[in-house]
Amino acid sequence: MSLIVRDATLEDAEDILAIYNYAALNTTAVWTDGPSDLDSRRQWLLARQQAGYPVLVAMKGRDVVGFASFGDFRPFPGYRHTVENSVYVDERHHRAGIGRSLVAALIERATAMHKHAMIAGIDGTNAASIGLHASLGFAEVARMPEVGCKFGRWLDLVFMQKLLASDVRP
Ligand SMILES: CC(C)(COP(=O)(O)OP(=O)(O)OC[C@H]1O[C@@H](n2cnc3c(N)ncnc32)[C@H](O)[C@@H]1OP(=O)(O)O)[C@@H](O)C(=O)NCCC(=O)NCCS
């Protein structure tokens, strides 16, 4: 079955929540201590879209099998050409190219929006995300030891960065 990547709608919030909560409860992909709820995910989706940023879902047939987005990297005017991404794939569909399709689509969108740089903030032990971003031309630019914690252990934050092929000037 072929994969379709499209803009999310509010109707996708429940599927997005399920994929997000699996990662929140079982992985160090997101450094939260508990699950999110439908209202928070809906607010997040609307806030991203109202800010002009994409929220994308990957579809296999009628099933949402992943989602991805980007937003401001830091909330100061000088960072306006830089975005930070997030990507989550249903764990039953890992290693099938879905994460790569989603992040490639984010890169296209950010380039079309005249963004200059995309950042991914990743737990240092998250080999899948580090490998995914490396496969799309992101390079590790910082590794900050023990700035987070989850599941009773310290987490290193790795920043990976890709400069985009847009024509924006500083
Ligand atoms: C990270 C994640 C999005 C990757 O998505 P995916 O659909 O499984 O990845 P893909 O199949 O598109 O993989 C693309 C490339 O990434 C790399 N990669 C993916 N999984 C990997 C793994 N477990 N170990 C090492 N490299 C891996 C490989 O280079 C792969 O290319 P290849 O399969 O041709 O070798 C997915 O594992 C996930 O949702 N994890 C939980 C949430 C998360 O960690 N999100 C990122 C937060 S920063």
Side-chain angles (χ1 to χ4, degrees):
M1 203 178 293
S2 67
L3 189 76
I4 290 173
V5 173
R6 63 159 171 81
D7 284 286
T9 70
L10 266 190
E11 280 76 62
D12 298 313
E14 213 159 327
D15 293 326
I16 288 174
L17 175 70
I19 294 170
Y20 177 87
N21 273 349
Y22 180 88
L25 293 171
N26 298 288
T27 79
T28 53
V30 54
W31 298 359
T32 53
D33 289 327
S36 183
D37 58 37
L38 191 54
D39 197 44
S40 309
R41 284 288 97 187
R42 284 201 173 120
Q43 295 310 322
W44 170 81
L45 202 154
L46 283 175
R48 278 286 157 98
Q49 292 180 337
Q50 279 162 8
Y53 288 133
V55 177
L56 304 177
V57 287
M59 306 291 303
K60 269 201 166 166
R62 297 165 70 93
D63 296 330
V64 173
V65 291
F67 72 94
S69 183
F70 59 74
D72 293 332
F73 172 53
R74 301 190 76 193
F76 303 103
Y79 292 101
R80 63 187 170 279
H81 301 307
T82 299
V83 292
E84 179 169 359
N85 74 14
S86 54
V87 55
Y88 295 85
V89 173
D90 182 329
E91 45 102 30
R92 293 165 294 188
H93 295 272
H94 281 185
R95 211 66 194 257
I98 297 167
R100 190 177 2 236
S101 298
L102 282 165
V103 177
L106 291 183
I107 290 169
E108 251 180 56
R109 292 292 185 95
T111 305
M113 287 172 71
H114 307 288
K115 296 297 177 184
H116 182 61
M118 185 176 285
I119 306 287
I122 307 172
D123 160 38
T125 65
N126 190 345
S129 187
I130 290 173
L132 163 65
H133 285 93
S135 78
L136 285 165
F138 286 73
E140 182 175 323
V141 289
R143 185 171 284 255
M144 303 165 70
E146 301 188 3
V147 293
C149 65
K150 190 168 182 177
F151 305 139
R153 59 187 171 81
W154 296 117
L155 301 176
D156 298 348
L157 177 62
V158 170
F159 278 122
M160 297 185 77
Q161 177 179 343
K162 182 179 173 74
L163 290 179
L164 306 174
S166 73
D167 55 2
V168 66
R169 303 203 56 83

